[in-house]
Amino acid sequence: MRAHPLPAHPLPRRRRAATVNTLYYALCVLLVAVFLFPILWSALTSLKPPSEAAATPPTLWPSHLVLDNYATLAGYGAGLVRYVGNSLLVAVITIVLTSILSLLGGYGFSRFQFVGRNVLFVVMLATLMIPFQSILTPLYLILRAIHLQDTLLGLALVYTTFQLPFAIFVMRNSFDSVPREIEEAALIDGCSSVTLLTRVMFPVVLPGVVTVALFAFFGSWNEFLAALIFLNDSDKYTLPVMLLNVQSGLYGSVDWGAVQAGMMLSMLPCIALFLFLQRYYLSGLTQGAVK
């Protein structure tokens, strides 16, 4: 009986592969720890007693867990519920307007041929390079002219304006990835333009819509500068502006525990939405990338 020859050097190759995998996972764990440590620090600080949260040098672990910082935050100014409601209202209006307008704009750029289409699309994308701070004054004058200064609706319109270029870009890529045969089959079956867009195309490009909605939420929920400038009435402040006042404190003193509690409340909706919709988010970002 003739013996089969063994493969050359199988053991070193396996060891190298195991070593590479070990280093890869160790690097992943290190990166996760680096990114999660600030969140862990904020969460633990928000649960410390106020005197311990402001202690120098700071400590990582609280001596005992309390909710005093969240209670302080809840009773600040017009109340935490008011400020969270203002932020939520602005975010919802921004999401609705951005999703509808980018859906229509992306469909138009993807499916309709008209003079200057590519030039107009490039000009629209070029507006992404304009610094937001450079057009604050014109925006302020426009809002005052249309009597939307110091209103949450005016603030949502500003956020929508800044979200639209990237949102239309995402939606155009989403529509480009859809075969035209689907539209042609729907039109042959007698679908109108509205039915075609809402019942046939919308479910197909849903990941792109979810991606646009998530970006609109993150951009409006966390935005600070425009809210600080365009809102004068303290009862209309959004959550980031309210946190600035908490951080400023009385006579320059900073309530670090309340600030960290506010940061946790700001982060939680973003983390929850991302985890819940991440499969749509990743799919929406890659739609049309192959083309």
Side-chain angles (χ1 to χ4, degrees):
M1 182 175 178
R2 187 176 180 181
H4 294 284
L6 295 174
H9 308 296
L11 195 55
R13 186 177 299 174
R14 292 178 182 175
R15 285 179 178 174
R16 282 198 300 270
T19 304
V20 170
N21 286 335
T22 303
L23 292 176
Y24 171 75
Y25 287 114
L27 179 61
C28 290
V29 171
L30 178 63
L31 289 176
V32 170
V34 169
F35 282 103
L36 289 184
F37 181 74
I39 300 177
L40 175 65
W41 182 282
S42 296
L44 292 175
T45 304
S46 70
L47 297 174
K48 292 178 181 177
S51 58
E52 190 175 340
T56 305
T59 57
L60 176 60
W61 302 103
S63 57
H64 59 281
L65 302 179
V66 296
L67 296 176
D68 294 355
N69 298 313
Y70 290 94
T72 301
L73 203 63
Y76 186 86
L80 182 63
V81 175
R82 168 68 68 88
Y83 301 121
V84 172
N86 291 341
S87 289
L88 192 61
L89 179 61
V90 171
V92 169
I93 295 175
T94 304
I95 289 173
V96 172
L97 291 179
T98 304
S99 299
I100 294 175
L101 294 177
S102 64
L103 184 71
L104 298 175
Y107 185 73
F109 276 114
S110 175
R111 290 299 192 257
F112 293 100
Q113 299 291 334
F114 51 89
V115 177
R117 184 185 70 157
N118 292 331
V119 174
L120 182 61
F121 187 71
V122 171
V123 170
M124 182 197 67
L125 289 182
T127 60
L128 290 171
M129 292 182 285
I130 299 176
F132 176 62
Q133 295 82 356
S134 64
I135 57 174
L136 281 176
T137 301
L139 286 174
Y140 182 85
L141 295 176
I142 291 173
L143 289 181
R144 189 176 66 176
I146 60 178
H147 305 291
L148 287 178
Q149 178 199 0
D150 196 22
T151 63
L152 297 178
L153 176 60
L155 186 63
L157 290 178
V158 171
Y159 292 159
T160 302
T161 303
F162 276 89
Q163 294 291 335
L164 271 181
F166 179 73
I168 292 177
F169 172 74
V170 172
M171 291 312 304
R172 179 185 176 176
N173 286 344
S174 297
F175 282 113
D176 283 346
S177 66
V178 179
R180 292 181 180 271
E181 287 78 8
I182 295 179
E183 290 178 80
E184 294 171 358
L187 291 173
I188 291 174
D189 289 341
C191 278
S192 63
S193 298
V194 177
T195 305
L196 173 65
L197 183 60
T198 56
R199 295 191 177 183
V200 178
M201 299 298 288
F202 180 78
V204 181
V205 298
L206 182 59
V209 177
V210 173
T211 302
V212 166
L214 277 178
F215 268 98
F217 177 79
F218 295 152
S220 57
W221 180 264
N222 296 316
E223 205 284 333
F224 165 74
L225 183 59
L228 178 66
I229 292 176
F230 296 139
L231 298 176
N232 299 322
D233 187 354
S234 60
D235 289 346
K236 297 177 182 175
Y237 283 169
T238 55
L239 191 57
V241 181
M242 175 256 192
L243 291 180
L244 172 69
N245 292 336
V246 173
Q247 184 176 352
S248 299
L250 186 63
Y251 305 119
S253 62
V254 180
D255 190 345
W256 290 112
V259 171
Q260 298 301 330
M263 290 177 61
M264 291 307 300
L265 291 177
S266 298
M267 283 191 293
L268 286 179
C270 299
I271 295 174
L273 275 178
F274 179 78
L275 293 178
F276 183 67
L277 299 172
Q278 61 174 328
R279 64 190 180 97
Y280 294 103
Y281 176 74
L282 297 176
S283 176
L285 283 181
T286 56
Q287 268 189 336
V290 177
K291 293 172 76 73

